């Protein structure tokens, strides 16, 4: 498969790219380098022996995304490109809502245009909120948050759920990690 990895030069994204290559997939990286460095692409090549296609760009740019999709037959997306600091999101909520929601919406719009139907979303365990009992379970219905960062993850999960309902042939996976 050819997989577009947004935020692919970041820590989790780059490790995912290495594992994708090891599994025989082709990765295309899109990253604006706001939280990563371009030399990560060289490190991926050193580890895997493969020079990954890399686009330095913002995932909110639909025209640039269309260019990537036009140049590559993308089979799936793994979406790691988001602002990620809980504390900072409290100080800069509008930036978090704009960036995190717009990147996901832009990707979904362009995916639809190019008939790409597989989306893996890097969500967060923050969606379980502060009031759910421990241990958290995937089927908990009380999805909530206590920060703008977490609410962006809740909202994008809702968008994906609604999109899958409207498009049953679309597959979305939600990854919820703990630090």
């Amino acid at each position: 498969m050819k997989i577009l990895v947004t935020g692919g030069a970041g820590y989790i994204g780059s490790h995912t790219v290495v594992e994708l290559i090891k599994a025989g997939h082709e990765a295309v990286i899109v990253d604006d380098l706001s939280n990563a460095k371009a030399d990560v692409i060289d490190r991926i090549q050193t580890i895997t022996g493969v020079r990954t296609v890399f686009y330095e760009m913002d995932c909110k740019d639909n025209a640039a995304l269309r260019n990537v999709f036009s140049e590559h037959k993308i089979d799936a997306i793994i979406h790691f490109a988001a602002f990620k600091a809980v504390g900072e999101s409290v100080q800069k909520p509008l930036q978090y809502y704009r960036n995190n929601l717009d990147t996901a919406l832009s990707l979904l719009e362009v995916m639809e245009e190019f008939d790409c139907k597989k989306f893996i979303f890097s969500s967060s365990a923050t969606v379980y909120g502060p009031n759910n009992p421990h241990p958290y379970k995937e089927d908990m219905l009380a999805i909530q948050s206590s920060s703008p960062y977490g609410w962006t993850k809740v909202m994008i999960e809702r968008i994906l759920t609604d999109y899958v309902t409207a498009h049953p042939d679309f597959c979305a996976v939600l990854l919820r990690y703990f630090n």
Side-chain angles (χ1 to χ4, degrees), residues 39-78:
D39 66 349
V40 169
I41 308 306
D42 296 329
R43 289 189 210 142
I44 291 170
Q45 182 175 2
T46 299
I47 293 167
T48 65
V50 174
R51 184 67 182 180
T52 305
V53 175
F54 168 61
Y55 293 87
E56 183 178 348
M57 56 173 267
D58 190 330
C59 291
K60 296 186 298 288
D61 184 341
N62 284 35
L65 283 172
R66 282 186 197 97
N67 180 54
V68 172
F69 274 78
S70 294
E71 291 180 11
H72 305 276
K73 172 63 177 117
I74 302 296
D75 297 302
I77 290 181
I78 303 176

Side-chain angles (χ1 to χ4, degrees), residues 100-161:
N100 293 2
L101 294 172
D102 280 0
T103 55
L105 290 167
S106 291
L107 286 164
L108 288 167
E109 289 168 349
V110 174
M111 287 177 74
E112 187 172 71
E113 290 174 34
F114 286 85
D115 201 34
C116 181
K117 297 182 183 295
K118 294 178 177 76
F119 191 90
I120 299 172
F121 175 57
S122 178
S123 188
S124 170
T126 64
V127 303
Y128 294 116
N131 299 320
N132 273 312
H134 292 91
Y136 294 145
K137 297 181 180 177
E138 288 184 56
D139 60 355
M140 289 180 154
L141 297 176
I143 301 300
Q144 54 190 308
S145 189
S146 59
S147 71
Y149 162 77
W151 280 113
T152 67
K153 299 300 186 173
V154 169
M155 290 174 187
I156 295 166
E157 285 193 15
R158 180 78 255 166
I159 290 165
L160 288 168
T161 300

